[in-house]
């Protein structure tokens, strides 16, 4: 059993289990108490030669400076503030090559990275460990200090710690309102998983439609058992009686918005900005939080609130220092947990998407199609029910896509579109003397789910499989995440292959940036 956190990474908040997060919050509470009582804090300090690299490729005040100060708390650590503008990034060096090199410069390294590219820490966590093992070095830790509009897990840690402080560390229940730009705000996206530390969760999403939380995050919250309500503005929210005592504001991320949304900036901003007339409608003991920075001209939490008891955001920002010290204590090996800390991998049943189907009459099967014009085949494969129920144009498009991705260019074969007995159109591809490999069937399931594969031997259907969307799709060069800011997108030249996980709504979620795709959107061809 492993009890330390050496080599663990934090790309998304879910990389720490609920027990691990609660362990971190209890340690941060102890550290703060000991500091207040002027007690010895050395047990929290990293003991070994550890290089802490602080790599900020996007602007930051709080996250960067609180990490710099948290790193200085660890007196034995070597602190390196990486100057990206003077680095070989400017000579088009890849992220993987850069971090491979840096890993060689300390016995053990912790990298803290803020980047515009989403999924960077996950990719580096996977790739740099190969470099480390080639050189007998321990795998380094990567900490995501905010990646594009994806996640900001260390902000999530300080937020949850602050909420717990408000509730005297009782994690039975939280009722929280998330207000502002819920579409682009990575800190509110991290709440979907971060709020799991509470046993019962009620979330009110307060944002106009244009800035509302992406639907796959809302589904995820509901699947976790959160009670979710949606409101278009603070004004609408205050008209009802069940108001949260935790209000979490975010700024409008204008830098990430398109022209169409920017045109409505004024109206959108008004709907999520607190106004003086709202004060009398607030519940007792409510606290306002904000990851900060506030916009200095148009803050969603205006400055007249600074000196009122609702101000929770200043203490929240200071908590960034304490919680980041503890995160470094954990990843630097100074704090061990009283439970197993080994990284848990998700088990996915690869077989459940290729299901053997009964063969009604071996002599018939595909041969019945022959009556309508195809030459029956003696041996080979018939892919049937392609895009069933769609228009003939869509079916044709799917057939062409299958041919292209599975490279059936120069195979003697036949395609067709038929009307089924139930009146729906469907497509088929007949491949004489071709037997699809398991990998090809898997690929086909991701190109055209809900298709049937018939294996024909000596003029009979010997095997028949119904295929559906696989739970995980990986290992194919033609896959592409549609998000141009994803580290895996070919535009970013990292030369890595993306992978997708199917969610309960049959959306395919990029494993790196967590953008949701339909099965039709994951192919670059
Ligand atoms: N909350 C936050 O991430 O602030 P900075 O961008 O200043 O780091």
């Amino acid at each position: 059993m492993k009890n330390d956190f050496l080599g663990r990474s934090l790309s998304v908040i879910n990389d720490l289990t609920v027990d691990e997060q609660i362990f971190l919050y209890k340690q941060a509470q102890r550290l703060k108490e000991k500091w207040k009582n002027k007690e010895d804090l050395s047990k929290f300090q990293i003991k070994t030669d550890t290089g802490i690299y602080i790599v900020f490729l996007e602007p930051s005040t709080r996250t960067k400076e609180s990490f710099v100060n948290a790193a200085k708390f660890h007196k034995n650590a070597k602190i390196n503030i990486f100057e990206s503008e003077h680095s070989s990034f400017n000579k088009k060096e890849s992220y993987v090559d850069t971090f491979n090199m840096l890993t060689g410069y300390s016995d053990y390294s912790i990298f803290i990275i803020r980047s515009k590219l989403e999924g960077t820490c996950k990719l580096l966590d996977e790739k740099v460990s190969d470099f480390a093992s080639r050189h007998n070095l321990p795998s380094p830790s990567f900490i995501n200090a905010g990646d594009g509009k994806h996640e900001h897990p260390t902000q999530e840690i300080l937020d949850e710690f602050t909420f717990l402080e408000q509730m005297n560390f009782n994690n039975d229940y939280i009722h929280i309102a998330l207000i502002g730009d819920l579409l682009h705000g990575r800190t509110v996206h991290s709440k979907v998983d971060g709020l799991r530390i509470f046993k019962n969760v009620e979330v009110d999403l307060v944002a106009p439609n244009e800035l509302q939380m992406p639907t796959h995050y809302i589904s995820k919250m509901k699947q976790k058992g959160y009670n979710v309500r949606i409101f278009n503005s603070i004004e609408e929210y205050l008209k009802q009686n069940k108001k949260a005592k935790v209000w979490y504001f975010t700024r409008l991320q204008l830098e990430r918005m398109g022209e169409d949304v920017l045109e409505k900036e004024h109206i959108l901003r008004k709907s999520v900005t607190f106004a003086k007339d709202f004060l009398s409608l607030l519940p007792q003991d409510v606290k306002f939080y904000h990851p900060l920075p506030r916009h200095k001209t148009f803050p969603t939490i205006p400055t007249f609130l600074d000196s009122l008891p609702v101000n929770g955001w200043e203490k929240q920002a200071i908590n960034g220092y304490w919680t980041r010290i503890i995160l470094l204590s954990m990843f630097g090996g100074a704090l061990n947990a009283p439970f197993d800390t080994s990284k848990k991998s998700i088990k996915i049943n690869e077989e459940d998407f290729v299901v053997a189907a009964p063969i009604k009459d071996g002599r018939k099967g595909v041969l019945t199609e022959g009556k309508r014009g195809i030459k029956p085949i003696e041996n080979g494969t018939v892919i049937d029910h392609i895009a069933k129920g769609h228009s003939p144009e869509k079916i044709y498009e799917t057939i062409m896509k299958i041919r292209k991705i599975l490279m059936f260019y120069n195979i003697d074969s036949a395609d067709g579109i038929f009307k089924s007995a139930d009146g729906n159109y469907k497509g088929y591809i007949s491949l004489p003397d071709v037997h699809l490999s398991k990998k090809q069937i898997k690929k086909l399931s991701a190109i055209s789910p809900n298709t049937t594969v018939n294996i024909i031997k000596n003029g009979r259907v010997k095997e028949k499989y119904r295929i559906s969307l696989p739970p995980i799709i990986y290992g194919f060069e033609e896959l592409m995440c549609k998000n141009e800011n994803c580290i895996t997108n070919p535009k970013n030249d990292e030369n890595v292959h993306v992978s997708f996980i199917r969610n309960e709504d049959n959306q395919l979620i990029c494993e790196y940036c967590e953008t949701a795709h339909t099965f039709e959107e994951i192919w670059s061809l």
Side-chain angles (χ1 to χ4, degrees), residues 482-495:
K482 67 180 178 181
N483 174 11
E484 291 193 350
N485 287 326
C486 178
I487 186 85
T488 66
N489 187 288
K491 264 189 82 169
N492 300 316
D493 290 329
E494 285 292 326
N495 299 315

Side-chain angles (χ1 to χ4, degrees), residues 153-180:
T154 66
Q155 177 72 43
E156 186 55 22
I157 285 170
L158 76 93
D159 290 347
E160 297 298 334
F161 178 74
T162 311
F163 304 155
L164 282 169
E165 275 190 331
Q166 184 184 340
M167 283 155 216
N168 296 317
F169 287 87
N170 179 348
N171 68 337
D172 283 344
Y173 171 72
I174 188 167
H175 181 191
I176 184 170
L178 303 177
I179 304 160

Side-chain angles (χ1 to χ4, degrees), residues 313-369:
W313 62 91
E314 290 173 353
K315 196 172 168 198
Q316 175 195 5
I318 297 167
N319 277 339
Y321 171 62
W322 299 109
T323 51
R324 286 173 175 129
I325 287 178
I326 294 298
L327 186 63
L328 293 175
S329 309
M330 287 164 66
F331 285 5
L335 290 174
N336 286 357
F339 48 77
D340 183 14
T341 56
S342 46
K343 218 163 136 182
K344 319 282 179 305
S345 53
I346 314 161
K347 271 210 160 62
I348 289 172
N349 183 1
E350 290 262 3
E351 297 306 322
D352 71 357
F353 63 96
V354 181
V355 178
I359 302 161
K360 281 185 206 145
D361 180 346
R363 279 176 298 124
K364 288 186 177 173
V366 296
L367 297 182
T368 53
E369 309 290 18

Side-chain angles (χ1 to χ4, degrees), residues 293-308:
R294 285 190 282 189
H295 192 289
K296 65 181 178 183
T297 321
F298 305 111
T300 49
I301 297 182
T303 49
F304 72 84
L305 292 165
D306 288 6
S307 53
L308 300 184

Side-chain angles (χ1 to χ4, degrees), residues 346 348 470-473 499-503 507-511:
I346 314 161
I348 289 172
I472 177 162
I473 302 170
S499 47
F500 298 92
I501 302 264
R502 188 188 70 203
N503 73 7
Q507 290 172 305
L508 296 169
I509 308 298
C510 167
E511 280 211 271

Side-chain angles (χ1 to χ4, degrees), residues 56 59-65 114 145 152 155 158 186-187 290-293 324:
F56 275 68
S60 166
T61 298
R62 270 145 295 276
T63 313
K64 183 175 178 189
E65 297 306 324
R114 171 169 289 190
H152 194 347
Q155 177 72 43
L158 76 93
R186 56 195 175 198
T187 64
H290 194 304
L292 305 177
R324 286 173 175 129

